[in-house]
Structures are given as structure tokens and as C-alpha cells.
Amino acid sequence: PLTDDVFPIDRFAMFFIECLGYLPLVDDRKVWESRQDAIEAIGKMAGDILPLPLDGTWIDRTSDEATSRIFFQGIGASLVEATDTGYLVNLDWMTKYEVRPGFMPFQGIAYFKPHPSPLNDSS
């Protein structure tokens, strides 16, 4: 919102919010030759505001650790529900959204133990 009775937005913030509407929204499918090439390219775009990556952190996005971090320390934290045996995140509601050709609809339920690590068939 551009106006707020409780927390007034200053002129700079209003200008910034309005400018966001003019930014191009693109899906850049650039694939870098190596992890280091990606870090350097993104670093050139972001400048000094980008923190240095830690080796091994977030590299395997499909790992149990990465999944736990996304849902307990990241953007998915608001989706976590407590259960009798731990936690769950139900993303089945996302099947109603279209995806690009060749991609499967995003859906699923992630189950977590009481100390947030995913449950799998061997648990």
C-alpha cells in the first residue's frame, strides 16, 4: 500500500515502491558453467550487498537439511503446522496454479519430526 495510517511511508519509500512496478519481470534460464561462475556473475549484479556463500550450504536443494531450512528458517515458515507426531507442510493447494510446459504441478506434503528434520520411509 502507498498509504498507511499506523506507519506512514516516507517519500523515498513511496518512490521506491512505485519504481518496482517498472522493473522487468523475466525468467532468466541462464545456466553457468560452474558454481564459481555463478557466484561471480551474481556478485557483479548485486555488488557488495550479497553475502559470501558458504561452501556446502544450500548446494543440494533436495537434501533434508535444505528442506528443513526452507520450512523452519525461510520462506516456508508460515506454512508449518504442528501435529501429534511433529510438523507438516501441506502444499497440495498449489496444484490449482498453472506451470510452464514440461513441469509438474507443485504439490506435496512434507512431514517433519519434532526436531525439524524430514521424515522418510526409513524413519
Side-chain angles (χ1 to χ4, degrees):
L2 294 178
T3 60
D4 190 324
D5 296 337
V6 179
F7 298 103
I9 299 175
D10 65 25
R11 284 183 174 192
F12 175 75
M14 269 180 66
F15 174 74
F16 181 75
I17 291 168
E18 289 173 5
C19 287
L20 288 177
Y22 295 103
L23 294 176
L25 299 175
V26 296
D27 187 7
D28 185 6
R29 297 180 187 183
K30 169 80 172 147
V31 177
W32 287 279
E33 295 294 322
S34 70
R35 179 174 184 265
Q36 189 58 38
D37 289 347
I39 291 169
E40 289 173 10
I42 294 170
K44 286 177 185 174
M45 289 185 282
D48 294 336
I49 64 168
L50 190 66
L52 293 175
L54 301 174
D55 285 337
T57 302
W58 296 99
I59 299 303
D60 181 5
R61 295 173 300 213
T62 62
S63 71
D64 288 352
E65 179 186 0
T67 302
S68 294
R69 291 178 114 186
I70 289 168
F71 289 115
F72 287 91
Q73 300 173 9
I75 196 165
S78 62
L79 303 172
V80 176
E81 301 174 37
T83 68
D84 293 338
T85 58
Y87 302 95
L88 72 82
V89 176
N90 186 343
L91 299 174
D92 284 344
W93 57 272
M94 295 185 75
T95 58
K96 64 184 175 185
Y97 296 106
E98 291 184 36
V99 295
R100 293 185 302 216
F103 286 85
M104 297 291 295
F106 192 69
Q107 68 182 59
I109 302 174
Y111 295 93
F112 298 88
K113 300 174 184 176
H115 56 85
S117 64
L119 296 171
N120 58 36
D121 294 337
S122 62
S123 296

